[in-house]
Amino acid sequence: MTALFVAELQFFLGASIKEKLLMDTTRSELLDIYLDITFHNLPCDYLSVDAMDVSGGQQVDVDHNIKKRRLKKDGTVVSEDSKNKDISDGLDPNRCESCYGAESSEHKCCNTCEEVRDAYRVKAGVLESLGSIEQCKREGIAHRLEDTKNEMCNVQGTLRVSKVSGNFHISPGKSFQQNHAHVHDLKFLQTFPLNLTHTINRLSFGEFCPNPSKPP
């Protein structure tokens, strides 16, 4: 009788394991990844947000739905007034400026500093100095990189990705594609001491759940 009681008690207290296989019918839908990360020793101008997956989908240097906030060392936000100044005032909108030897069918004209840098990346060339490029001097890029080197950066926003294996990363250096490879341009960071110390304020996948212990 005692043995029967013990056996029944063990059965009652034991866990019942049931296996179930469900097919994901929402694979074609996109998954939202919300991120809020603060980099304590890298300014926003040096950071690039990218996402890629096994199906070949790539999002390079994402700026839609992603906001980079410049921060001082004390955590206060840096005014963006000077950054938003339109430097194209007074320039011919139909101009075609030099790509400094990196012209191609894709880049016949380079009217901005970024277009010159993109043209060099496509041709796998080496752009030695931003200070010698008229477009970069006009936009004050070299001075800006120097002036912001002691700032922090808060990266906040939402990435929309496919429901397949993949990765997203926040890395220093402008990202681009070259010979079917994903690379980052670190040429102008060679003299900059890279310190990727960061704080993840929030990282979530899918619909926001205010109470994780009681999901919908």
Side-chain angles (χ1 to χ4, degrees):
M1 190 70 179
T2 303
L4 179 60
F5 173 77
V6 173
E8 288 294 327
L9 180 61
Q10 289 178 335
F11 178 77
F12 175 75
L13 297 177
S16 178
I17 300 177
K18 295 182 180 180
E19 296 183 359
K20 182 184 293 187
L21 178 64
L22 298 176
M23 181 176 294
D24 184 4
T25 59
T26 64
R27 183 174 176 179
S28 60
E29 298 178 6
L30 297 178
L31 174 70
D32 287 341
I33 302 177
Y34 181 84
L35 52 92
D36 181 353
I37 303 175
T38 300
F39 289 83
H40 301 283
N41 296 285
L42 272 179
C44 294
D45 287 339
Y46 291 79
L47 292 174
S48 173
V49 182
D50 310 297
M52 56 193 68
D53 60 55
V54 295
S55 67
Q58 297 193 33
Q59 300 181 57
V60 178
D61 200 13
V62 181
D63 57 7
H64 55 276
N65 298 327
I66 294 290
K67 183 177 181 180
K68 300 176 186 175
R69 291 192 306 164
R70 296 169 55 198
L71 303 175
K72 297 178 182 178
K73 284 298 184 181
D74 60 3
T76 57
V77 179
V78 177
S79 172
E80 294 291 322
D81 292 342
S82 58
K83 181 178 179 180
N84 294 331
K85 183 180 179 181
D86 188 359
I87 52 87
S88 63
D89 291 345
L91 296 176
D92 183 359
N94 298 317
R95 68 189 185 282
C96 181
E97 298 186 66
S98 172
C99 293
Y100 294 85
E103 287 81 1
S104 64
S105 58
E106 184 178 347
H107 294 90
K108 296 180 179 179
C109 302
C110 297
N111 295 332
T112 67
C113 182
E114 191 59 39
E115 289 178 355
V116 175
R117 296 175 68 180
D118 285 340
Y120 268 85
R121 294 185 191 109
V122 169
K123 296 196 72 172
V126 177
L127 187 58
E128 293 295 339
S129 173
L130 293 178
S132 62
I133 306 301
E134 183 61 36
Q135 294 89 321
C136 299
K137 290 192 291 184
R138 182 173 64 223
E139 297 171 19
I141 298 298
H143 293 295
R144 178 177 172 81
L145 293 177
E146 179 65 24
D147 293 342
T148 62
K149 68 179 183 180
N150 293 319
E151 293 182 358
M152 303 193 302
C153 184
N154 174 252
V155 181
Q156 185 181 94
T158 303
L159 282 172
R160 304 206 74 194
V161 299
S162 301
K163 291 184 177 181
V164 295
S165 297
N167 76 81
F168 75 90
H169 55 266
I170 305 174
S171 302
K174 173 76 174 179
S175 58
F176 60 99
Q177 295 298 312
Q178 188 176 89
N179 299 325
H180 307 290
H182 180 82
V183 295
H184 286 260
D185 181 7
L186 301 177
K187 172 65 179 177
F188 302 104
L189 300 179
Q190 291 180 355
T191 60
F192 187 82
L194 291 181
N195 185 336
L196 300 180
T197 301
H198 62 277
T199 299
I200 301 177
N201 306 306
R202 180 182 157 194
L203 178 62
S204 62
F205 298 80
E207 185 178 351
F208 176 66
C209 181
N211 188 354
S213 61
K214 295 181 180 180

